[in-house]
Amino acid sequence: MENKNKNTLPNLPLSTIWMLSFGFLGVQMAFSLQSSQMGRIFQTLGADPTKLGFFFILPPLAGIVVQPIVGYLSDRTWSKRFGRRMPYLLVGALVSVIVMFLLPNSGSFGFKTSTALWFGAIAILFMDLSSNVAMQPFKMIVGDMVNEKQKSYAYSIQSFLSNTGSVLATIFPYLLTAIGVANTATAGQVPDSVRISFYVGAVILVIFSLISVFSVHEYDDDTYKKYHGVALNEDNANEKNKSMLQLLKEAPKTFWTVTLTQLFCWMAFQYLWTYGAGSVAATVYHASNPASSGYQAGANWFGILSAVYAVAAVIWSLVLSRIPAGKNKIGYTLSLFLGAIGFISVFFIHSQFGLLFSFILIGISWAGMMAYPFIMVTNALDGYSHMGTYLGLFNGSICLPQIVASVASFAIFPAVGSKFPAMILISGILMLIGSLSVSLIKEKI
């Protein structure tokens, strides 16, 4: 499958590498608002805590279907003005903005509780779907245009911008509350502090995505073939008509070993996003009623802690960018191991400020997860056709673990006494297994 008839991709100006990923900041704001506020929103709307996992199944289910399709179609798309990947970014960002205005208003249309929950579930489904459509081009375009020497830097910049977006998104509710915006609302409605945060995130998403769309000029088919040895739109029936199942059978071993590590890591974060707000509210503020000021204060503090792990990830991603390409496994293992310690410590630390330590370590693992899997997989796929389709399929290593975690939560959550902190402890165990599994990855240098 690997084609040796290719030239080395040129070094890109650093400004170009930044512009390749600039819109990632806006897209990640949408994801971070979703991950940090979903549990809060659905509990506020009246969801049964033991059934929270259901609402977290739909977004990754959308991603696992949509991402391979976006990859497949973008491999076969070319617009002289917008390129191959960027049209999908533009469409995804615009749809995501619409949904970001609808989701926090799920309880404001006069629906009864069950209808409001279903409206919110469908809204979050479309929000995740559109955000995934917008995110995928950034991963693909690095594989298209960045050489192996600069790839670690490029994905580290994506991690930096991604986590900067996370910081902005997760601190908004806390900052808005601090300046007097209401942080509580009548039963079944989302507080204004959350609602306005989504509005601001939507505006930033559009602006930053447009900057990338109009700043980046992708390689056309001839240029792509010159550097990769294959053309994405090459009229080769044997290659063009291969099914996704056939492509999976031909995927390099690295694709599958990185996927195994991803399984444990993304299950860990899925439980953090599902039960994190409730865990902080229970252990720090001793509150469980979503309508109470204590619970909403706990949810706000979870937002701050999410910002802390995003800041830690920003700093750690810059550290990781200095690690030589041949040492990626060391950086990956260390990042995940420190994250496991952070998750486990959440179960034992009940101090508001003591949790800052825990989430700094969690942020270190997040930085590793944002950088290394795509570095390793795109390096392993270099010289393969169907790059976009492969990266879309690889997104299943993000989506599938979230689905597995959510389904498993229906049994695990009652088994641990329906205790939110216990679910974060399980996250730590999963992350520890993930760090050990990195040893199975055979990295292409």
Side-chain angles (χ1 to χ4, degrees), residues 46-103:
D48 181 348
T50 63
K51 301 296 189 295
L52 272 180
F54 169 78
F55 300 102
F56 285 79
I57 292 175
L58 297 179
L61 189 61
I64 204 170
V65 173
V66 169
Q67 290 284 31
I69 295 175
V70 171
Y72 178 88
L73 293 177
S74 67
D75 279 351
R76 291 156 178 76
T77 297
W78 178 254
S79 163
K80 187 174 181 180
R81 176 64 189 87
F82 294 108
R84 173 174 291 109
R85 315 297 186 185
M86 289 303 173
Y88 295 89
L89 163 62
L90 186 60
V91 172
L94 293 177
V95 174
S96 186
V97 164
I98 295 171
V99 182
M100 287 177 74
F101 277 88
L102 290 175
L103 175 61

Side-chain angles (χ1 to χ4, degrees), residues 31 83 96 113 121 227 238 241 247 268 303 309 333 364 399 403 409 444:
F31 277 117
S96 186
T113 299
Y227 292 123
N238 291 332
N241 295 327
L247 291 175
Y309 90 62
T333 301
I364 287 174
C399 299
I403 296 171
S409 71
K444 177 183 176 182

Side-chain angles (χ1 to χ4, degrees), residues 33-316:
L33 283 167
Q34 173 184 316
S35 62
S36 66
Q37 302 299 322
M38 267 181 67
R40 176 186 195 171
I41 288 173
F42 284 111
Q43 283 195 268
T44 300
L45 292 175
D48 181 348
T50 63
K51 301 296 189 295
L52 272 180
F54 169 78
F55 300 102
F56 285 79
I57 292 175
L58 297 179
L61 189 61
I64 204 170
V65 173
V66 169
Q67 290 284 31
I69 295 175
V70 171
Y72 178 88
L73 293 177
S74 67
D75 279 351
R76 291 156 178 76
T77 297
W78 178 254
S79 163
K80 187 174 181 180
R81 176 64 189 87
F82 294 108
R84 173 174 291 109
R85 315 297 186 185
M86 289 303 173
Y88 295 89
L89 163 62
L90 186 60
V91 172
L94 293 177
V95 174
S96 186
V97 164
I98 295 171
V99 182
M100 287 177 74
F101 277 88
L102 290 175
L103 175 61
N105 289 293
S106 300
S108 304
F109 299 118
F111 300 140
K112 61 182 182 179
T113 299
S114 60
T115 305
L117 287 170
W118 272 109
F119 183 91
I122 294 171
I124 202 70
L125 170 67
F126 277 94
M127 180 176 171
D128 195 82
L129 185 153
S130 56
S131 297
N132 272 304
V133 170
M135 179 189 74
Q136 190 74 342
F138 294 113
K139 299 296 185 183
M140 295 175 182
I141 202 168
V142 170
D144 290 348
M145 298 181 64
V146 181
N147 63 35
E148 293 184 17
K149 181 180 178 182
Q150 291 185 305
K151 197 171 286 181
S152 179
Y153 178 80
Y155 280 127
S156 295
I157 292 306
Q158 282 198 355
S159 181
F160 173 82
L161 291 169
S162 167
N163 289 297
T164 300
S166 295
V167 172
L168 295 174
T170 50
I171 66 174
F172 275 155
Y174 187 89
L175 293 179
L176 290 171
T177 302
I179 63 175
V181 176
N183 192 48
T184 58
T186 56
Q189 295 197 20
V190 176
D192 287 343
S193 59
V194 177
R195 200 189 331 262
I196 295 173
S197 296
F198 273 79
Y199 299 162
V200 174
V203 172
I204 293 176
L205 170 59
V206 167
I207 293 173
F208 279 66
S209 295
L210 289 176
I211 290 173
S212 278
V213 168
F214 288 104
S215 299
V216 175
H217 300 285
E218 299 181 59
Y219 293 151
D220 60 23
D221 288 335
D222 290 339
T223 306
Y224 185 96
K225 184 174 182 179
K226 173 184 175 182
Y227 292 123
H228 290 273
V230 290
L232 289 170
N233 284 331
E234 202 167 39
D235 188 18
N236 182 328
N238 291 332
E239 289 292 314
K240 195 172 183 179
N241 295 327
K242 284 185 177 178
S243 67
M244 292 186 185
L245 181 59
Q246 183 63 32
L247 291 175
L248 285 174
K249 290 179 179 179
E250 297 175 356
K253 184 178 179 181
T254 300
F255 181 99
W256 294 109
T257 50
V258 174
T259 293
L260 177 64
T261 299
Q262 292 271 81
L263 171 67
F264 300 110
C265 297
W266 282 94
M267 286 185 69
F269 270 91
Q270 183 75 346
Y271 288 145
L272 176 69
W273 297 330
T274 307
Y275 302 105
S279 178
V280 174
T283 58
V284 177
Y285 294 88
H286 309 291
S288 59
N289 181 1
S292 68
S293 59
Y295 178 90
Q296 295 298 336
N300 269 5
W301 189 246
F302 175 67
I304 292 296
L305 293 171
S306 298
V308 167
Y309 90 62
V311 170
V314 168
I315 297 171
W316 191 250

